[in-house]
Amino acid sequence: MSSTIGLEPVLGRSDEMIVNMGPQHPATHGVLRVVIGLEGERITRAVPHIGYLHRNHEKIEESRTYFQVVPFTDRMDYVSGTQNELPVVLAVEDLAGIEVPERAKMIRTMFFELFRIASHLVWMGTAMLDLGAITPFLYTFWDREIILGIVERTAGARMLPNYYTFGGVRRDLHPHFFKDVAEFLDHLEKRMPDYEHLVLENPIVHARTVGVGVLSKERAVARGVSGPVLRASGVAYDVRKAFPYDAYPEVEFEIPTSDAGDTYARFWVRFQEIYQSVKILRQLLEKTPKTGPFKGRAPARLKISGERYRAVENSRGELGVYVVGDGGDKPYRIKHRGAAFSNLQVIPDLFIGAKFSDAIAILSSLDPVFGEIDR
Amino acid sequence: MSLIPIPEDRRFKIKLIGYDPGRSRPWLERFVYSLYVVAFWLFVIATYAGVPALFDWLGWDGGWGYVVMRALQVVMLFLLSAVIALMLILALRKYLGKVQERYGPMHYGPAGGIQTVFDALKLLGKEDFVPAAADWLTFRLAPAVTFVSSFAIFAVVPFASGWTLADSNVGLIYLIAVSTLSAYGVLLGGASSGNKWALIGALRAGAQMVSYEVPLALVFLSVAVWSGSMSLGKIVDAQLGVWNVIPLFIPFVLYVISSLAELKHIPFDFPEAESELIAGYNVEYSGMSFAFFFLAEFVELFLLPALIVVFFFGGWHGPLFGLEPGTLAAGALQSLYFSVKTAVWVWIFLWIRATLPRYRDDQLMEFAWKAMIPLALLGLVLAAYMRLIWR
Amino acid sequence: MSLLNEVWQAVKAIGTGMATVHKRVYEEAPTEFYPYVELDLPPVSVQSLALVENEDGTERCIVCLQCERACPSQVISIERHRNPEGKGFLIDRFDIDLVNCMYCSACVEACPVSSIVTIQDFELSTYDLHTLKADIDFLHEQARRSKKWYSPKLGVEIRTEDGRIEKAPPEMQPGGLAELLKPAAEEEES
Ligand code: SF4
Ligand code: SF4
């Protein structure tokens, strides 16, 4: 039985209750299953189970050509759309030596940051839903809707646009794109104080999150977490700065970090990242030429040999891909390194000893997306 | 050939309904919702003035006639509580809709006005399922206990001067006894469901109850000390000059907080915490048993704000424009004042529900034992002191 | 005193939160009344696929199998035979399994003659998945129903009232093409 449950009842411990949190549970953001040993409200043991959304991405992608791989990657982290395509695109561009025009890089970066805002808005809504407040959820989803609308006008789809391609992007920007984004940023800047009032400044949120689920710096590094979770533990690691890609070397932004490492710090870091994304987008709106090439020359059939690891900083952390080409037009091996998957490794560390309600808050602060975790 | 051809009329068929909820018709909305208010008001008048007048006219006002009259009033109140539940559910959904920048129910009846009636019918039509692991008798009994204990509060609530079922001189003690019972319903229902989430919910309800009941009782005591009576009618009478909220400010704040806890309302809804315990104690209930939990919740959502009004906001008091107290017209006007004040408090509760996230259960217990009880004692001492000085 | 201050801060924060929420009561809900009001989707929006015929009812598709090769989901299956009377090929079978299609529009990009296009009809939802196994009639029907469609090579095309197929006016075209056609408009925009 231990293979399916993951937790054996301890003989002689009649005061421990073993409950299955998930896979159908409102707060597990999809299909996580955590088997939890409860002693009253306190969690004594926790074993996470994943794989309920497994779709065999890596194997499927190995039997597709490089061009066909890109739309599949969209389906991993489905709340941050185009962000997933970038590692594969970058790795293949490196291997095939495809030149990317400056303007295409900027367009990519703008979409990347738009989706970061969209993803963090979704996180904000669902985290507050987990904490019991229904209203911010609807507010953030309305604002995200604007982003999706902007993306749809250019890329043709809202959540899974398949927009990046080798050598640039597939389509030029919609003529109103710059105006739309500028309007949206103004709108968001008006909304952000509301979100601060409802989330960060709320005393009940303070009570629920401050000092809850503290992840120490050493533990975070040892578990291989990345993204806002790592930065909330005081490690200023950001792929955008450490291994810059696309147009990031040309824009100025900061990496918000916090030393607290608790749930509140993770909330706070995500909020600051939204502000930084707004800053990046404003700079790019200035810098990006209105017209120009959006796509470099890429061969119609890619034959690649060699191997390459490329990573990007998506909304959840370091999203990497390891591509091995054997000279054919299909990858010999593709391995995705998911940020949400690695971030989930800290569940036993953070859950054990916490209250059951805290577990919900901690889980929402990790912001898992199961499309990417189960892949 | 297509495997199955697309039927030509399937697209946009729904447009044929010809009803456009997008067209704003605020007057219609207001009219539909005011129908509920009028129905509520008529029910109150009929219960407290109509039924006694009828029995007076029939000459059955002594002995068994009195018993029958009271029984009829209770039946009327049951219908009234159904009206209240329908009204409040609609109000909750519409208000949350407004706040959340959406429309809420739109399709059944004008402006969604009879959506809740259909919801009730749907619940009636559902299978009332008892899980195999449940304890049958307790599982069945629990919704009844919950509903009856909420409903029994009606007995002492004065809608206007003299408009109450039993103006008992131990009204406050009765209230404490009855409202505590509702936690038993939750406890029994959760523990007998044979479901771990329900069990946790029930345990949380028990833990929550022992923490908020103590300050609640102390608040009742301060009100009784200040007003010099335990009868709710007398408590309202005593507020003719100045409403209790001014002298009894600390107990008032504590009472609002503990009402939220008693209602299992949003900052303190641990027993059902839908994002933690799925639905907590009522996760296994379906059909009518679930409807009774629901009904109890919304009857309490009316009654606890009503008690706030009775204790702290002068109950039915308001300008009578020269009407003789005790007449039908004065009673109707007074019950209107009372209902309006209650409605304001219900709105505040809904507003809180729309804004705040959930506290943690041990934090409520800590808060109750470490902050609320000392404050309640302070309030009690102050009330006694003020009474010595000013009355 | 610090305790009182803390309590005051908490009360103030809750009050601000409640005021924030209440502010929205007076704002118009951005709800779209979809079944009652038709949605105005951008012409590049990928909602479904269609196979366009020429105005005279002949097949635009030259059965080059590019779309079949490009499809990542491998849901397009085409069978063809040589045209006995001329050059080129004729279609025997052209099926798209729209259930497993992921609307990535890779096929549309691959098509050399803009025969397979994306349309904005998203009302194919059904209780029976078999209805979504689209064959060539289904795909032609989809194209006949739609007023406008998009393909990267020809941009947005519209079907006029009298059944002719025309290139849409520049203001309907997505980015890039609009700029190509009307460089002056872009300057006014910015
Ligand atoms: S849209 Fe994509 S998945 Fe669908 S048929 Fe075309 S290429 Fe295949
Ligand atoms: S790519 Fe275009 S022309 Fe070629 S077979 Fe497909 S639809 Fe026909």
Side-chain angles (χ1 to χ4, degrees), chain C residues 22-179:
Chain C
H22 188 71
K23 222 165 55 190
R24 301 286 182 111
V25 171
Y26 306 106
E27 280 183 27
E28 185 80 23
T31 308
E32 276 160 1
F33 293 93
Y34 154 59
Y36 309 101
V37 182
E38 228 170 309
L39 282 188
D40 185 24
L41 293 173
V44 291
S45 180
V46 186
Q47 304 297 343
S48 190
L49 300 172
L51 207 57
V52 180
E53 290 164 299
N54 287 328
E55 281 166 27
D56 51 4
T58 53
E59 203 65 63
R60 207 189 245 194
C61 172
I62 53 169
V63 214
C64 63
L65 306 190
Q66 288 299 329
C67 50
E68 188 178 11
R69 286 199 200 103
C71 177
S73 310
Q74 302 179 346
V75 295
I76 304 182
S77 65
I78 304 174
E79 281 171 17
R80 63 179 182 181
H81 63 267
R82 267 202 186 280
N83 191 350
E85 288 140 31
K87 49 187 175 95
F89 297 90
L90 292 178
I91 303 179
D92 286 334
R93 194 163 65 86
F94 193 116
D95 289 352
I96 302 183
D97 182 1
L98 289 179
V99 177
N100 292 323
C101 169
M102 55 181 173
Y103 302 102
C104 61
S105 68
C107 49
V108 180
E109 302 227 318
C111 182
V113 292
S114 294
S115 166
I116 186 164
V117 295
T118 56
I119 55 174
Q120 279 85 53
D121 184 352
F122 51 88
E123 301 201 339
L124 284 175
S125 55
T126 169
Y127 290 108
D128 181 6
L129 290 185
H130 289 292
T131 53
L132 291 179
K133 298 227 184 294
D135 62 1
I136 188 155
D137 291 326
F138 189 106
L139 292 169
H140 282 327
E141 180 66 22
Q142 296 247 72
R144 261 178 244 129
R145 276 177 212 282
S146 40
K147 302 268 184 302
K148 59 177 196 280
W149 54 79
Y150 172 76
S151 64
K153 301 238 163 39
L154 295 185
V156 181
E157 289 174 289
I158 50 171
R159 194 189 295 281
T160 54
E161 296 286 313
D162 47 354
R164 281 179 303 112
I165 296 172
E166 275 178 5
K167 182 160 226 165
E171 60 269 17
M172 272 178 77
Q173 302 287 356
L177 273 174
E179 289 165 9

Side-chain angles (χ1 to χ4, degrees), chain A residues 195-216:
Chain A
Y195 296 141
E196 297 235 344
H197 294 324
L198 287 177
V199 181
L200 282 190
E201 290 168 11
N202 191 316
I204 298 183
V205 173
H206 278 252
R208 286 292 301 277
T209 56
V210 173
V212 167
V214 179
L215 181 64
S216 68

Side-chain angles (χ1 to χ4, degrees), chain B residues 148-161:
Chain B
V148 168
S149 60
S150 320
F151 182 61
I153 299 177
F154 264 122
V156 289
V157 174
F159 280 79
S161 71

